[in-house]
Each structure stands twice: as C-alpha cells, then as structure tokens.
Amino acid sequence: MSDTPFGFGLPPEEPEDGDEGKKKDPAGGGQGSGNPFGANPFGFGGLPGMGGQGGADNPFAAMFGAMNPTDLGAAFQQLGQMLSYEGGPVNWDMAKQIARQVVAQGTADGVKDASVGPAEKSAVEEAVRLADLWLDQVTSLPSGANTAVAWSRAEWVEATLPAWKALVDPVAERVGNAMGDVLPQEMQAMAGPLIGMMRSMGGAMFGQQIGQAIGALAGEVVGSTDVGLPLGPAGRAALLPLNVESFGKDLSVPSDEVRLYLALREAAHQRLFAHVPWLRAHLFGAVESYARGIKVDTSKLEEAVSQLDPSHPEQLQEALQSGMFQPQDTPEQKAALARLETALALVEGWVDAVVHEAAKSRLTSADALRETLRRRRATGGPAEQTFATLIGLELRPRRLRDASRLWASLTDARGVDGRDGLWEHPDMLPTATDLDDPDGFVHREHLDFSELDKMLGEAAQGDKGDTPEDGDEKK
C-alpha cells in the first residue's frame, strides 16, 4: 500500500521522459517557467500525455503538445470534475474512479484483477459453511453470515466505499474547513470564489489519494474485515480468491487450508458484528471522536496559500502532506485514542483466540497461519497502514497479542459463555489498562449482572407491600 498519507501526494505514475524533458528545458525551471500551468497541473500524474514535453517558446506545448484529441478530452474532463465539484469534503466519484483504475493496473507482482469463476465461488461458500460449523463449538455467538460471497478486487472496492466514506469524511472535513479559514476574516467575504475553488481542489486531492490507497489496499486484503472494521455489507462474509491465493503462495500450506483459516477469521468477525449490536457504531464513533481531536496545522496552509504559484500547484500538496495532522495532546484526545486502540485490539484479539481454538485440532497449519497473520499485522499489514494514512494512527502490535491472551484466559476461567458475555455492553469490556495486565482482569472479582438483576427484581417485589396482610388486602 502507498506510504503517501491520505490527502495530498503526487501519484507514482510519471512519464518516463518527464525528468529528461525538465533537464532539457533551457530556462532551467523544473516545471518549465514558460508553462503557466506547470508540467502536471493539480497533481494529477495519471492524466495521459502530461509529461512536460515541448519547448519554452510555446507555453502550452509542455502541457498539451504530446496529447492526442482523446487524451486532451480526458485531461479537461478530469480538470473540470475537480474544479466543479460541490459535494462533501471528499470527491468520492473521483476516489471510486481512481481506485478502479489502480485495481485495473494490477499489483506490483504483475497479478491482474479477474472475475471470480463458479469454482472459486463454490470453494468460498463451502469454506465459510464449514468455518461456521467449527465456530459453533467455540463461541456462544451464533452465525452472523447470511451469505458467503467471493469478490474480485473491483467488487471489494465497490462494496466497501460506503464504509470508507464514514471513516474518512470526518478527517477530510477538518482539512476542508481549515482550507477556508487560512485567509483573514475580513478577506473571506471578498475571496468567496477562491475559497470555493480551494475546497473543490481539496475534495479532489482527497479523492485522488483515497482512491489510490483504496485501490492499493484492494490488492492486499483477503476479506471484508481485514482492518478490524466491518467494511462490507452486514451479514455478508466475503473472501477475495485472487488475494487468498497470493497470501498463501509462499507459505508451503495447502491452499484449501489457507482458504479455510481465512474463512474462519471472516466468519468470526461476522458473528461479532452481527450479534453485538452496539459494536459497529462504537468503532466508527471512536474513529470519528479521534478525528475531532486532530488539529490541522494551518500555518502550513497559510504559508502555502500566501506563496501559491499557479504554475506550481503541487506546492500546496507538499505543504499539506508534511505533518498536517497533529493529534492534540489533551486528556480528551488521549482518551479517544485509547478507546479506539483498545476497541480494535479487543475485536482482533477475540477473533484470534476463537479462530485458534476452532482450528488448532483440525488444521495442521493452524499455528503457522496464526503467526503469519500476526506478523503481517505487526510489520505493517492492511489495518496499520490504513489507519496510519487515514489519521496518523498506528495500532501497537502488542495490543493484539495481549488481547488474544486475555480472551483465551477468560475462556479458561469463565467458560465460553462467560467470555462472550462481556460483549453485552461496552462498559463490561476490558480497558487499555486491563490489556497491560490480562491476568489481573481475568482473576479480578467481577460483578455478575444476572445476579444483580435478580436482586433488584426481588427488591422491587418486596416494595409492593410491607406485610403479607397488606398484600392480601390489595389482592
């Protein structure tokens, strides 16, 4: 996945002779001083033909000289989309388009996306069905998958865009507002059209980079819950056969075991999100709460706007890219971060513990697959990279292992029902401090809420009358 933070980086695709064209520019300017638009206006490196060819004698030659009419039309179409956008903080139409383009290009290893065939669909359905049977024996939560589906990478992009919108919009909104606030108050009324254009550009920039990131992530994920959040439609367990095959390619593990283990993880996530009704809103709310505490460094915006050269619009991107998101060092922000990290760790830890319990006696490769997935997360798997690029948040790898150990210990101490019963309410779950001391939480005296309800009910019955005689008279 791209290391470029969501928001504002130049795409990697640059024409091969772009640098040579710049070196040959007699004016010596990297972008070409004779070109008022720059070699690559607005950071759209994917626009065809925009490679900086042409001489300084013709200010438009560098931009349009090598374009055929079709390329020129596409360039103006994308430019028009960027400047005319009047929606929310992210141009999601552009994000979807670019994500689909990235998927179509294939991954770095040369693997192209492909439609899922009947045999692959049948294999995924069978794996999820068997996974649910195994999970029935190790958790009290019933199946949460109404259907099992096999997605191509492009289908994953389409299915997960609504969830990405909910995750990204709060962060992008803060940036969009900051872009409108960089001018002094007395100038904002006069600069209305400029502010509107800046916000349109910001929405397009976000759309561009989010599309790049989602498209890259589509080449890595193996299901709909890889990031620890329910990205797909509720009740739909999904695997991506092409990515499952790539995941298991160098593991020396039979492909059907790899598929089944990953189906166990997907089905376990689905159970949790289906039967813990508050969990989905809790996780997305934690992300939004953390985003509200992010401070946008407007000094970088102010400097970029004051020195903005129309021929170098990428200066604004570079300013926004470097250290734009700064979490506030306040008790509220620290608490929001702790809630988010802990919630995600508890979800992933529960899935890890339950899947291992279901697979360890049935799959000879269970231990190896478990460790591979743990290392994948610890060394920068999809979840860490996604959250790091989204809001500067990196999940600490030790949280997953600590949470998994806690859930396993709870199973030994309280049984499956006692363990899964903690999901009844968020206040019953372990805290960040408890993850530092899992054994302490497991063996700590805990309140039995069913007994408390019984006591309250008996007390309420007793309050109906002071004596039996009073009760008889009332009857």
Side-chain angles (χ1 to χ4, degrees):
M1 180 172 176
S2 171
D3 294 330
T4 306
F6 277 6
F8 314 98
L10 294 174
E13 293 80 16
E14 288 287 347
E16 294 179 355
D17 57 345
D19 290 338
E20 282 300 314
K22 293 172 187 175
K23 291 175 184 176
K24 295 174 183 177
D25 182 1
Q31 299 293 329
S33 58
N35 181 358
F37 297 98
N40 189 354
F42 306 105
F44 281 83
L47 296 184
M50 299 175 72
Q53 290 100 339
D57 292 339
N58 184 347
F60 297 96
M63 181 175 180
F64 302 123
M67 282 188 172
N68 61 44
T70 303
D71 292 339
L72 183 59
F76 274 118
Q77 183 180 12
Q78 289 200 25
L79 184 60
Q81 288 176 354
M82 182 184 70
L83 294 179
S84 64
Y85 177 70
E86 297 180 351
V90 177
N91 188 330
W92 284 103
D93 290 337
M94 180 173 290
K96 176 181 175 180
Q97 178 184 354
I98 292 178
R100 293 293 299 264
Q101 290 173 354
V102 172
V103 165
Q105 292 169 2
T107 51
D109 57 3
V111 178
K112 300 279 189 179
D113 193 23
S115 299
V116 179
E120 292 172 316
K121 291 180 180 179
S122 177
V124 168
E125 291 170 356
E126 177 61 22
V128 172
R129 185 194 66 79
L130 185 56
D132 263 335
L133 287 176
W134 291 2
L135 289 171
D136 283 339
Q137 303 173 37
V138 295
T139 175
S140 61
L141 300 180
S143 174
N146 300 323
T147 57
V149 294
W151 283 341
S152 67
R153 293 166 179 171
E155 288 172 327
W156 180 90
V157 169
E158 296 279 355
T160 61
L161 272 178
W164 288 116
K165 189 176 188 298
L167 286 169
V168 175
D169 272 352
V171 181
E173 176 122 23
R174 294 191 61 79
V175 179
N177 291 337
M179 291 181 76
D181 294 339
V182 295
L183 295 176
Q185 189 69 34
E186 60 274 12
M187 293 181 60
Q188 289 192 20
M190 299 172 57
L194 175 61
I195 293 174
M197 186 178 73
M198 290 175 61
R199 285 181 172 161
S200 294
M201 290 174 62
M205 291 175 185
F206 259 113
Q208 179 196 21
Q209 288 306 118
I210 291 169
Q212 290 276 352
I214 293 176
L217 191 60
E220 300 180 11
V221 294
V222 295
S224 71
T225 53
D226 277 29
V227 301
L229 293 170
L231 296 179
R236 190 172 299 176
L239 291 181
L240 283 71
L242 187 61
N243 292 356
V244 170
E245 181 183 353
S246 296
F247 172 80
K249 182 173 59 176
D250 300 322
L251 296 182
S252 300
V253 175
S255 59
D256 57 338
E257 287 200 19
V258 173
R259 185 190 307 111
L260 184 51
Y261 193 87
L262 295 176
L264 280 166
R265 289 183 53 82
E266 178 73 9
H269 277 104
Q270 293 295 335
R271 288 181 182 233
L272 203 54
F273 291 124
H275 299 292
V276 182
W278 54 265
L279 182 57
R280 183 183 297 256
H282 180 75
L283 286 169
F284 280 77
V287 174
E288 184 173 356
S289 177
Y290 182 80
R292 282 198 301 268
I294 291 174
K295 179 175 63 177
V296 178
D297 189 353
T298 55
S299 65
K300 288 185 171 62
L301 282 170
E302 291 170 356
E303 181 181 357
V305 171
S306 65
Q307 301 178 3
L308 186 60
D309 180 351
S311 67
H312 298 282
E314 72 279 359
Q315 291 175 352
L316 179 59
Q317 290 181 309
E318 293 170 359
L320 296 175
Q321 180 180 337
S322 57
M324 181 180 58
F325 297 140
Q326 296 181 352
Q328 294 181 0
D329 189 19
T330 64
E332 293 79 11
Q333 180 69 350
K334 289 179 179 178
L337 176 61
R339 284 195 301 273
L340 179 55
E341 285 187 329
T342 302
L344 289 168
L346 289 174
V347 168
E348 289 297 288
W350 184 88
V351 168
D352 180 81
V354 167
V355 167
H356 183 67
E357 185 66 24
K360 65 181 182 181
S361 61
R362 297 181 173 96
L363 297 179
T364 57
S365 57
D367 289 336
L369 288 168
R370 183 190 201 188
E371 189 59 28
T372 297
L373 285 161
R374 283 181 165 185
R375 291 182 180 181
R376 186 182 190 223
R377 175 64 56 86
T379 57
E384 286 75 23
Q385 292 182 0
T386 301
F387 280 97
T389 52
L390 177 62
I391 49 178
L393 172 66
E394 292 188 22
L395 301 180
R396 288 172 289 176
R398 70 182 180 86
R399 300 287 82 182
L400 168 61
R401 293 181 184 270
D402 289 344
S404 180
R405 184 159 61 92
L406 184 148
W407 289 117
S409 297
L410 281 169
T411 307
D412 294 338
R414 305 182 188 180
V416 168
D417 290 342
R419 177 200 67 200
D420 294 345
L422 292 178
W423 290 106
E424 291 179 5
H425 193 277
D427 291 343
M428 298 173 64
L429 289 175
T431 64
T433 302
D434 295 324
L435 289 182
D436 293 327
D437 182 21
D439 293 333
F441 176 83
V442 170
H443 299 293
R444 187 180 308 149
E445 189 68 27
H446 63 284
L447 184 61
D448 188 332
F449 282 83
S450 62
E451 288 298 321
L452 177 61
D453 289 341
K454 181 179 178 182
M455 293 168 58
L456 291 174
E458 292 174 349
Q461 289 293 331
D463 289 341
K464 290 182 179 179
D466 294 330
T467 63
E469 288 78 9
D470 291 337
D472 292 337
E473 289 176 4
K474 290 176 183 178
K475 293 178 183 178

